[in-house]
Amino acid sequence: MVGSLGEIGRARWQRLLALAQCAYDDPERSDATRASAESELSPFVGYDWLEALERTGCVGGDSGWSPLHAVVEDAEGTLVAAAPCYLKEHSYGEYVFDWAWADAYARHGLQYYPKLLAASPFTPVPGPRLLAGSPQARAALAVALRLLAQQSGLSSAHVLFTGAEDTRALAAAGWMIRRGVQFHWHNAAFADFDAYLSSLVQPKRKKVRAERRKVQEAGVMLRRLSGADIRPSHWDFFYRCYQRTYSEHYSHPYLSREFFEEIGARMAEQVLLVVAERELQPIASALLVFDGSGLYGRYWGALERVPCLHFEASYYQPIEFAIERGLGRFEGGAQGEHKMARGFLPVPTHSAHWLAHPAFADAVERFLEREGHGIEAYLTELDERSPLQRTATGPARAGASPPARPERARRHRPGPSGRVATVCPPPVRQRNRRGAIDDQNAGFSAAPW
């Protein structure tokens, strides 16, 4: 484990990411016989993004995110695998919610924090997490993360928003797999925005056109900026909008103005800034990041309220950009069933979890099994409500069920102090006949991004 990315170095980190990206993009080529090009790499686990978080103090210090990156070296000292890891003192900024688990630990006199987390901070974007050049190295890292947490006396370890290859490796290493749902827009080789609209059923087309018309009639103009077109004044305005969004939700921003300046300097060609103006004055802004194949919505904020402006700046302008650039997909962030009305399709997501306490682990495992069936039923229901015309071209729902964990004997043990434990907040609190943790509501509470 190392305390900063600087100890690893950009060249070594990006080399591993390039190999892992190949396996993420094409799981059938899990041997990573080729490395992905720099422009194809997931920006949110790239060295520039993660190191900017460290450099500007968004992680580290008293943030509750202490960098503790995992590295695996071979006998010759060559780096063969790595993962962006953090020692977490809370569960903010993760988008996979385990507050109920922490509450259950606290109510039974157990310490849940710190915990080990492998993720891209503040970012619910699926991508490579176990950066490895071979299936063997990936499997070794999956085992190593669990052993490191266990040997360090931590309550748990978590790997969030994993790809198919990482999910398989973690399941084989004994991690519990949890499913979620996001909504992604897929580019079916659309020639232009009208071609995209023609793929939607008539009520959805009408809705999109009406929303865009409201913005135009309000006298709002929008500009899309990228690369050298983004000036410091644009970042200043965007940050005002970003702060306003958090203020309206009685919260504090995770990211600093300095962080956005860093990524603006390091990753200018991967940043899209949408700026809305009325009477030549900026009133709203949205920030997105893109690579060679995808566009990722991250932040939005407005200083004035205009009906449907959020949809225009955060969805329709990015869709136009994705079509123009030939990007294959647009990921709009966590949750958001309302996105289906705008042509986004449901996609399953995965995360992996390991809990040290046997009784809590049993309860959570049973819950995740039931929740997984519920997620599959939900996805099936959403498929039946597809916004696409029956004759429209477009991908089916992506992703298959995650691999099952190896079977192991159930361990039914009493909770701490012989009392029955629950892994959810009140009011559900029941004693079961075995004295094991009641897992009826062992899940997370979801909140939209």
Side-chain angles (χ1 to χ4, degrees):
M1 310 296 283
V2 299
S4 71
L5 280 182
E7 297 180 48
I8 301 172
R10 189 182 192 280
R12 295 206 300 166
W13 185 269
Q14 292 297 99
R15 181 185 66 83
L16 283 180
L17 175 56
L19 295 171
Q21 188 74 48
C22 178
Y24 176 79
D25 292 338
D26 186 0
E28 299 304 317
R29 299 188 60 174
S30 59
D31 58 344
T33 52
R34 69 172 181 88
S36 296
E38 181 85 10
S39 62
E40 299 173 334
L41 303 186
S42 173
F44 303 109
V45 286
Y47 185 91
D48 292 336
W49 183 276
L50 295 177
E51 204 276 335
L53 290 171
E54 295 181 11
R55 181 185 295 269
T56 59
C58 297
V59 299
D62 60 358
S63 68
W65 295 75
S66 297
L68 197 65
H69 307 301
V71 297
V72 177
E73 297 179 339
D74 62 17
E76 287 73 37
T78 302
L79 184 66
V80 296
C85 293
Y86 302 85
L87 206 60
K88 285 296 302 294
E89 300 289 347
H90 52 68
S91 294
Y92 292 107
E94 298 178 13
Y95 302 94
V96 176
F97 304 97
D98 62 350
W99 293 105
W101 302 1
D103 176 74
Y105 270 63
R107 285 188 282 111
H108 290 87
L110 300 175
Q111 187 172 345
Y112 190 71
Y113 304 109
K115 64 179 183 179
L116 184 65
L117 182 77
S120 178
F122 323 116
T123 307
V125 176
R129 296 296 181 263
L130 307 181
L131 310 187
S134 69
Q136 295 77 18
R138 185 177 297 107
L141 183 55
V143 172
L145 289 176
R146 179 171 54 81
L147 291 177
L148 285 167
Q150 188 174 20
Q151 293 168 3
S152 300
L154 301 178
S155 70
S156 56
H158 313 263
V159 187
L160 307 185
F161 297 104
T162 55
E165 285 299 301
D166 289 349
T167 303
R168 275 193 280 268
L170 290 159
W175 295 67
M176 296 180 286
I177 304 301
R178 185 182 190 230
R179 303 185 73 187
V181 180
Q182 289 186 357
F183 297 86
H184 299 173
W185 178 86
H186 301 273
N187 186 356
F190 297 122
D192 51 29
F193 195 86
D194 285 339
Y196 143 66
L197 283 181
S198 69
S199 73
L200 303 179
V201 295
Q202 193 275 338
K204 307 303 182 186
R205 290 199 303 273
K206 182 178 179 181
K207 182 181 183 69
V208 171
R209 290 188 174 117
E211 289 174 345
R212 303 201 84 180
R213 187 165 56 249
K214 286 181 181 180
V215 174
Q216 294 173 350
E217 291 173 351
V220 177
M221 303 291 292
L222 290 104
R223 292 192 294 156
R224 298 195 295 265
L225 306 174
S226 187
D229 291 335
I230 304 177
R231 300 189 299 273
S233 60
H234 295 127
W235 284 119
D236 289 337
F237 175 73
F238 164 76
Y239 198 72
R240 288 177 61 199
C241 296
Y242 172 72
Q243 287 179 306
R244 173 70 67 89
T245 298
Y246 277 86
S247 176
E248 290 175 348
H249 291 84
Y250 305 100
S251 187
H252 299 283
Y254 293 128
L255 304 175
S256 65
R257 170 66 177 81
E258 291 74 20
F259 169 76
F260 292 109
E261 186 174 358
E262 281 279 327
I263 65 166
R266 295 184 179 199
M267 303 171 57
E269 300 303 322
Q270 290 184 272
V271 172
L272 171 65
L273 201 61
V274 178
V275 179
E277 298 177 341
R278 182 155 58 182
E279 297 179 352
L280 302 180
Q281 295 299 313
I283 61 171
S285 185
L287 174 67
L288 304 96
V289 179
F290 60 96
D291 54 29
S293 59
L295 178 64
Y296 313 96
R298 294 306 304 121
Y299 301 106
W300 144 267
L303 304 186
E304 293 184 18
R305 293 298 180 194
V306 175
C308 300
L309 181 54
H310 171 248
F311 301 134
E312 179 66 34
S314 299
Y315 300 139
Y316 304 141
Q317 290 291 322
I319 285 174
E320 284 191 345
F321 179 85
I323 292 172
E324 291 172 4
R325 292 289 185 105
L327 302 178
R329 68 187 184 281
F330 167 31
E331 302 182 15
Q335 289 96 38
E337 190 175 321
H338 65 279
K339 295 170 187 165
M340 285 192 68
R342 294 155 185 92
F344 289 68
L345 298 177
V347 175
T349 62
H350 301 96
S351 59
H353 308 270
W354 173 84
L355 277 71
H357 195 287
F360 277 94
D362 274 348
V364 169
E365 183 176 35
R366 289 193 297 274
F367 168 77
L368 293 181
E369 182 178 358
R370 290 199 310 274
E371 184 190 50
H373 293 308
I375 290 291
E376 186 59 35
Y378 176 55
L379 287 166
T380 300
E381 176 196 345
L382 292 175
D383 285 344
E384 294 171 354
R385 294 191 278 122
S386 173
L388 303 181
Q389 295 194 65
R390 293 182 181 275
T391 58
T393 58
R397 169 166 55 87
S401 298
R405 292 205 324 140
E407 281 297 322
R408 60 181 177 85
R410 295 286 187 190
R411 297 186 300 275
H412 303 305
R413 303 183 182 182
S417 304
R419 298 183 61 189
V420 176
T422 58
V423 286
C424 66
V428 177
R429 192 167 191 179
Q430 301 183 27
R431 181 179 299 276
N432 61 38
R433 294 182 179 273
R434 298 183 299 271
I437 294 174
D438 183 352
D439 62 321
Q440 286 198 10
N441 288 294
F444 306 111
S445 296
W449 169 70

